[in-house]
Amino acid sequence: MAVAQVPRNFKLLAELEKGEKGMGAGACSYGLEDPEDIFMTHWRGTIWGPPHGNHENRIYELKMECGPNYPKEPPTIHFVSQINLPGVNPQDGKVDKNSVAILRDWTRIATELAKNPRPKEDPLSLETALIAIRKYMEEHKKLPQPPEGSKFAIYK
């Protein structure tokens, strides 16, 4: 028996509502880049730097793109704020999906979810991606960082 897949726009509407109401994790926030984006493709997010390291007391800005195959495929994520982090392109801030577990395993998890009933909490969302990136930042908290407020050249 096949399980019905939630249409892309329904899923993104639910994520938008959660993000706008601040119902998610306190260390991350997200919303549409342009409220008129009817396809809900371009998003902005923030991550509050994890404590006890070089990210502490910093707010990192990110751009996220949910392509036409989202949620079957992961969003494309770029840091707008400059960051020194393995798996983040030092020229444009793009996060290599292979460096963050949830992004690397996204397609496999989506395939499994299509076969089985959904768990209570959705393991694949913009919020879970941001939380995973924050955890990844915490694992690399001792790396020296660019000056506070620096942005990648393509976003200046």
Side-chain angles (χ1 to χ4, degrees), residues 109-122:
I109 295 168
T111 301
E112 289 173 11
L113 288 173
K115 296 175 188 172
N116 302 310
R118 290 202 170 268
K120 186 174 181 173
E121 290 295 319
D122 188 356

Side-chain angles (χ1 to χ4, degrees), residues 3 6 11 15 18 20 24 35 56 60 65 70 72 77 86 89 91 93 100 102 111 117 123 129 131 133 146-147 155:
V3 175
V6 176
K11 175 158 175 39
E15 290 193 48
K18 187 175 182 182
E20 285 182 340
E56 187 169 36
Y60 292 89
E65 183 177 325
Y70 181 86
K72 291 179 187 173
I77 301 176
N89 184 305
Q91 275 70 49
V100 179
I102 192 71
T111 301
I131 291 168
I133 291 169
Y155 300 114

Side-chain angles (χ1 to χ4, degrees), residues 63-76:
K63 289 177 67 97
M64 301 171 285
E65 183 177 325
C66 296
N69 294 321
Y70 181 86
K72 291 179 187 173
E73 294 177 1
T76 302

